[in-house]
Amino acid sequence: MTTHDRAAPEIELGLRDRKKVRVRAALVDAATALFLARGFDAVTVDEIAAAADVSRRTFFRYFPTKEAVVFARRDEQLALFRERLAASGDAAPFDALRGALLALADDYMARRTQILQERALTRAAPTLLAGDLEVDRAFESIIAEHLVAHSRRTAADQRRARMTAAAMVGVVRVALDEWADRDGDVDLARLAQDAIELLTPIVPRFR
Amino acid sequence: MTTHDRAAPEIELGLRDRKKVRVRAALVDAATALFLARGFDAVTVDEIAAAADVSRRTFFRYFPTKEAVVFARRDEQLALFRERLAASGDAAPFDALRGALLALADDYMARRTQILQERALTRAAPTLLAGDLEVDRAFESIIAEHLVAHSRRTAADQRRARMTAAAMVGVVRVALDEWADRDGDVDLARLAQDAIELLTPIVPRFR
DNA sequence: TACGAAACTGGCACTCGGTGTCAACTGGCT
DNA sequence: AGCCAGTTGACACCGAGTGCCAGTTTCGTA
């Protein structure tokens, strides 16, 4: 029912769209390979385009910036998180949140090496660091939306919901950092669980 | 004792250094005036340099990037915050934190129009937004350092200290956002106070 | 199956942010 | 006065991103 491909990859795409998917994938693959080999800054868009066998101009038709190609995967995570949250509609808001976050933690652990590689890339390039922070804000927006929607209409309550969202993203990020710093050798779900539990006393209404 | 100028602005500067100060100020003034008039992206470095009567190359000798000239003032706030925190050395860590944050809130209210202008600028330019986020992380680092230094050496305790720091920056930012959204017409200190109070139950050791 | 519209692509020229280099200048010191 | 070091401007250069247009490919339709 949605235009999202994940749920229904079987719909016949025309040749035109299949080509587009192929080109996009080729660009992502070429870029990540080059980035991992030589670092983000040392790779030019021309090289990426050449490696994917398209013109430089075409690269910028698929991605608005050089950074965007790095964050393509992260945007998918974001959309997935939003879906999961929306799916568990009538559960207690805080429980839904915990569920979605822990599911995310599982995803991360499953794609461990890839995640760690991406992080290593991000640390080395200041430009990418900025994008990383924006992802956090995006998560915060989703969570805040969710909490606000399930709060009373009081200004004070809504503010508190937004504060809770900000705090939650903060503690979860610290958990993620620790996991990454330990090369993914600890249980991220466990860390995330602890992080979320830490906030229990400040979550409005449930405890 | 420190090399910081604030405490001792009376030391005689040679003609050379006085010039440098003047040029730097001229660049900041010219840049902010142009930015406010036409927005960050619509102003080129050439224009800023011309308005300040120096060459384009000289601009980049004073600031590493076009963004840096916007964040010059914010870096001062950051240093000030760090000093305040270090000053109140033997107070309870959480009290010291609250004190420094509330002092910061007072600063913001005192420079209300300037702060609001800067924020308006930042919102409009995606590049600047990234810088904004980095400032938050810098604050978080300072707070985390402070809390970690006053925590037990346990891994769990230190992690909790870092999580608390992240949460604190989060809730304070929400307070700041609300203040700015209301055009600075509410009491920021009060909002910040509430935000910090919200975290009391999760702060390690004190309650 | 042929054809016209629409989408996609490549190439080119251009703007702007940022850097390396070097020659000319200016203030500081003896 | 004169040397040294720091500062400056000019120029050339690179890479990211954008507007534009002409050529090609795919799609829907007659």
Side-chain angles (χ1 to χ4, degrees):
Chain A
M1 196 59 70
T2 154
T3 60
H4 205 284
D5 298 340
R6 192 185 324 278
E10 305 300 341
I11 42 172
E12 263 330 307
L13 294 175
L15 173 56
R16 197 173 317 222
D17 293 285
R18 267 182 292 153
K19 249 188 186 171
K20 276 174 75 169
V21 171
R22 235 173 37 224
V23 170
R24 189 185 163 88
L27 283 172
V28 171
D29 291 346
T32 48
L34 286 169
F35 289 158
L36 286 171
R38 315 211 310 263
F40 182 78
D41 289 320
V43 176
T44 71
V45 172
D46 298 70
E47 292 173 316
I48 300 171
D53 237 334
V54 295
S55 80
R56 160 196 169 69
R57 193 69 187 81
T58 294
F59 174 93
F60 284 109
R61 287 206 182 85
Y62 282 81
F63 300 95
T65 65
K66 195 171 84 166
E67 284 91 35
V69 68
V70 174
F71 290 103
R73 291 211 178 90
R74 232 162 293 204
D75 288 344
E76 293 172 18
Q77 287 281 343
L78 216 57
L80 185 57
F81 179 75
R82 173 176 267 129
E83 278 174 29
R84 277 176 182 152
L85 209 52
S88 61
D90 48 349
F94 186 59
D95 293 337
L97 228 45
R98 178 174 32 220
L101 284 172
L102 291 182
L104 199 61
D106 287 337
D107 288 351
Y108 273 58
M109 288 172 67
R111 301 190 306 143
R112 185 191 141 193
T113 53
Q114 184 192 339
I115 300 283
L116 291 180
Q117 279 179 340
E118 283 181 13
R119 281 182 66 92
L121 247 188
T122 304
R123 299 300 147 184
T127 324
L128 290 179
L129 200 59
D132 222 10
L133 306 190
E134 281 178 55
V135 173
D136 280 359
R137 289 289 174 95
F139 269 110
E140 183 180 328
S141 289
I142 297 175
I143 295 177
E145 230 172 87
H146 181 77
L147 286 178
V148 163
H150 290 81
S151 294
R152 281 185 298 180
R153 300 281 168 227
T154 325
D157 276 27
Q158 305 231 334
R159 187 191 321 144
R160 183 160 172 187
R162 289 200 307 276
M163 285 182 179
T164 307
M168 194 166 297
V169 171
V171 296
V172 169
R173 180 173 40 74
V174 172
L176 184 55
D177 281 344
E178 178 145 349
W179 177 73
D181 286 346
R182 296 179 189 270
D183 274 332
D185 285 334
V186 291
D187 186 1
L188 176 58
R190 172 88 195 174
L191 284 174
Q193 176 83 32
D194 288 353
I196 300 169
E197 226 51 64
L198 177 65
L199 290 186
T200 310
I202 80 161
V203 173
R205 214 124 321 281
F206 350 90
R207 58 154 338 216
Chain B
M1 196 58 71
T2 155
T3 60
H4 205 286
D5 298 340
R6 193 187 320 280
E10 305 300 342
I11 42 171
E12 259 338 303
L13 294 175
L15 173 55
R16 188 167 273 166
D17 294 284
R18 268 181 293 153
K19 247 190 189 171
K20 275 174 77 168
V21 171
R22 236 173 37 225
V23 171
R24 188 187 164 88
L27 283 172
V28 171
D29 291 346
T32 50
L34 286 169
F35 289 159
L36 287 172
R38 314 210 310 263
F40 182 79
D41 289 319
V43 176
T44 70
V45 172
D46 296 71
E47 291 173 316
I48 300 171
D53 237 335
V54 295
S55 81
R56 160 195 170 68
R57 193 68 186 82
T58 294
F59 174 93
F60 284 109
R61 288 207 182 84
Y62 282 81
F63 299 96
T65 66
K66 195 170 84 163
E67 284 91 39
V69 67
V70 175
F71 290 102
R73 291 210 179 90
R74 232 162 292 202
D75 288 343
E76 293 172 16
Q77 287 281 342
L78 216 57
L80 185 57
F81 179 76
R82 173 176 266 129
E83 278 175 27
R84 277 177 183 150
L85 210 53
S88 62
D90 49 350
F94 186 59
D95 293 337
L97 228 43
R98 178 171 36 219
L101 284 172
L102 291 181
L104 198 61
D106 287 338
D107 288 350
Y108 273 57
M109 290 173 67
R111 301 189 306 144
R112 187 191 140 194
T113 53
Q114 185 194 335
I115 299 284
L116 292 180
Q117 280 180 340
E118 282 181 13
R119 280 181 67 91
L121 247 187
T122 304
R123 298 301 146 183
T127 324
L128 289 179
L129 201 61
D132 223 10
L133 306 191
E134 280 179 56
V135 173
D136 280 0
R137 288 289 174 95
F139 269 110
E140 184 181 325
S141 289
I142 297 175
I143 296 178
E145 230 171 89
H146 181 77
L147 285 178
V148 164
H150 290 81
S151 295
R152 280 185 299 180
R153 300 283 164 227
T154 323
D157 276 27
Q158 305 231 336
R159 188 191 322 145
R160 182 159 175 185
R162 289 201 307 276
M163 286 183 178
T164 306
M168 194 165 296
V169 170
V171 297
V172 169
R173 179 172 40 73
V174 171
L176 185 55
D177 281 345
E178 178 145 348
W179 178 73
D181 286 346
R182 295 180 189 271
D183 275 331
D185 285 334
V186 291
D187 185 2
L188 176 59
R190 172 84 193 178
L191 283 174
Q193 176 85 32
D194 287 354
I196 300 169
E197 226 51 63
L198 177 66
L199 290 187
T200 309
I202 79 161
V203 172
R205 214 126 317 284
F206 350 92
R207 51 152 343 209

